[in-house]
Amino acid sequence: MAVIRDVMPAFDLLQPTSAADAQRLLEDIGDGAWIMAGGLDSFDWLKDRIKKPQALVDLSGIEELRGVRVASDGLEIGAMTTLTEITNHPEIKKSYSVLAEAVSVVASPQIRNQATLGGNVSQDVRCWYYRGGWPCYRAGGNICYADTPVGRNREHAIFGANRCVAVHPSDSVPALVALDAKFVVKGAKGERVIDAEDYFIGPELDITHINILQPGDLLTTIRIPNTYAGAKFYFEKIRDRNVWDFPLLNVASAIKLSGNNIDDIRIAVNAVSPRPMRLRNVEAAVKGKPATSETGEMAGKLAVQGAVPLQFNAYKIPLMRNLVKRAIAGVQEATWA
Ligand SMILES: Cc1cc2nc3c(=O)[nH]c(=O)nc-3n(C[C@H](O)[C@H](O)[C@H](O)COP(=O)(O)OP(=O)(O)OC[C@H]3O[C@@H](n4cnc5c(N)ncnc54)[C@H](O)[C@@H]3O)c2cc1C
Ligand code: SF4
């Protein structure tokens, strides 16, 4: 177990003032660099003495990474924009309210004042064995402590397990996937733009990483096209305590209706798999159908096909079935401001 009384291991603190300088520093230092945004996830790792980077690249002095820019074809949100700014932003509240709503239930007001969108989507899994410094698969070892007969796995995955059964914990991500957001990454070879759902990787591809970023990469911006601006939205998060807590499960949908019929839809869930899940099978099955509880019922059943519960998390199957149902049938009534 980690010793948490001792001081943090020493590191170099680098404070660039432009995204280009930050990227160059990341490239020069390579594997030994740690990107620090708001520090909510970063400081846990450092103070618990589990991650010991050579240098911290602190993004807090880079103005160009902050703020929301409204354009004719959508929004550009700088990676260093705080969750509070996103929740309060008039255009996000008006036209992309699913994101404002999702972000408004992250953690606590104090955390949202400091935490950034780039950090929220890039945060690591919350599995307590891994966070406690146990040498599991994700930490580079040869065992999963959560997936054993006595493992504590109530919060863990029902889909996508591959040695690691931890889940992706972000609340903002399903909303971003539902809005068809694009992540802009600055790297050694220039800039690349990645669909939100492709930013994340599962343990079958790389068990020690949660996203596609390579040493030298920096997430600079999240773009939201106006394709779903003003659509019907639904977001719901289930957690153990309503004061602040990570999701046991969350769902986000963006739906275009003709009358009560579903013309187009994007729907995603999180906290059920090591990477966020876009439910393409549900999207295909409900297009052209009315947004009713019958359609929602059918969608919920489809969504949980193939789920494999662990010893203590079978409750997530009916939970996911019902949330998906509500994300379709409840879309007419959903209001958030
Ligand atoms: C008590 C508590 C409760 C929480 N509850 C919730 C919750 O209910 N829902 C939820 O979604 N989250 C929750 N969180 C997680 C929290 O929202 C995230 O830790 C926070 O959003 C991370 O943002 P940050 O700016 O502090 O990032 P940091 O902690 O600085 O960074 C997080 C990770 O992202 C990487 N990173 C940050 N910015 C970039 C970038 N621009 N490019 C590439 N990599 C980057 C960092 O290297 C690090 O690995 C909780 C955290 C705490 C401490
Ligand atoms: S679920 Fe993943 S992070 Fe947790 S102990 Fe198993 S391998 Fe490690």
Side-chain angles (χ1 to χ4, degrees):
M1 285 291 285
V3 177
I4 56 170
R5 293 180 302 278
D6 296 328
V7 295
M8 285 192 268
F11 46 74
D12 292 332
L13 177 62
L14 305 172
Q15 299 184 297
T17 52
S18 73
D21 282 353
Q23 190 282 321
R24 266 193 297 275
L25 287 169
L26 291 169
E27 196 178 328
D28 288 350
I29 303 159
D31 261 341
W34 181 280
I35 298 172
M36 195 176 73
L40 269 314
D41 199 18
S42 298
F43 281 124
D44 269 2
W45 287 117
L46 303 175
K47 290 169 81 176
D48 288 350
R49 301 166 62 82
I50 295 168
K51 307 275 187 187
K52 297 175 181 169
Q54 170 197 335
L56 240 63
V57 178
D58 171 12
L59 307 181
S60 63
I62 308 181
E63 272 312 307
E64 67 188 280
L65 294 182
R66 292 187 186 280
V68 179
R69 287 169 288 282
V70 182
S72 56
D73 57 352
L75 297 179
E76 287 211 346
I77 306 178
M80 286 296 288
T81 308
T82 65
L83 302 184
T84 299
E85 281 173 80
I86 291 168
T87 302
N88 293 336
H89 193 276
E91 180 59 16
I92 299 182
K93 280 165 74 172
K94 178 169 159 259
S95 304
Y96 307 89
S97 60
V98 67
L99 178 62
E101 186 175 3
V103 165
S104 77
V105 290
V106 169
S108 63
Q110 291 89 343
I111 289 175
R112 294 195 293 275
N113 286 343
Q114 175 73 13
T116 66
L117 188 60
N120 190 262
V121 301
S122 307
Q123 63 176 303
D124 211 338
V125 302
R126 301 301 301 190
C127 173
W128 34 76
Y129 297 105
Y130 173 59
R131 307 288 299 202
W134 293 43
C136 67
Y137 279 126
R138 191 169 281 278
N142 281 317
I143 185 173
C144 172
Y145 297 96
D147 193 11
T148 63
V150 290
R152 292 179 59 199
N153 51 40
R154 181 174 164 273
E155 283 83 355
H156 288 65
I158 53 172
F159 285 101
N162 186 314
R163 295 160 294 148
C164 178
V165 294
V167 294
H168 197 282
S170 164
D171 282 313
S172 65
V173 166
L176 291 169
V177 172
L179 289 168
D180 197 13
K182 315 288 176 197
F183 289 16
V184 183
V185 173
K186 201 186 244 313
K189 292 185 185 148
E191 206 171 80
R192 50 201 207 277
V193 180
I194 298 146
D195 285 343
E197 66 211 80
D198 296 334
Y199 184 71
F200 306 94
I201 50 177
E204 72 287 358
L205 281 184
D206 184 347
I207 203 161
T208 61
H209 289 93
I210 196 163
N211 58 45
I212 49 118
L213 297 185
Q214 298 291 319
D217 281 347
L218 175 69
L219 174 66
T220 59
T221 311
I222 291 178
R223 287 189 191 140
I224 302 185
N226 62 8
T227 333
Y228 281 85
K232 295 282 183 186
F233 297 121
Y234 190 93
F235 179 83
E236 190 169 353
K237 166 181 180 175
I238 303 296
R239 51 189 156 173
D240 278 325
R241 302 170 303 162
N242 271 341
V243 272
W244 58 259
D245 216 341
F246 284 91
L248 294 169
L249 224 157
N250 58 26
V251 66
S253 66
I255 301 184
K256 290 185 194 169
L257 293 174
S258 274
N260 195 31
N261 269 9
I262 299 171
D263 260 0
D264 216 347
I265 172 170
R266 290 177 65 97
I267 179 166
V269 292
N270 211 2
V272 289
S273 162
R275 54 187 300 239
M277 281 176 71
R278 179 177 167 199
L279 304 178
R280 286 174 184 273
N281 56 347
V282 167
E283 292 171 4
V286 304
K287 266 186 210 166
K289 298 208 164 51
T292 56
S293 51
E294 288 72 32
T295 305
E297 193 87 44
M298 176 273 286
K301 285 183 187 153
L302 192 60
V304 297
Q305 276 180 11
V308 181
L310 302 164
Q311 198 173 359
F312 300 113
N313 70 358
Y315 73 95
K316 283 198 177 187
I317 296 179
L319 187 58
M320 179 167 162
R321 195 169 56 227
N322 283 317
L323 287 199
V324 168
K325 175 182 171 183
R326 296 211 284 260
I328 287 162
V331 82
Q332 293 281 31
E333 287 82 42
T335 50
W336 193 85

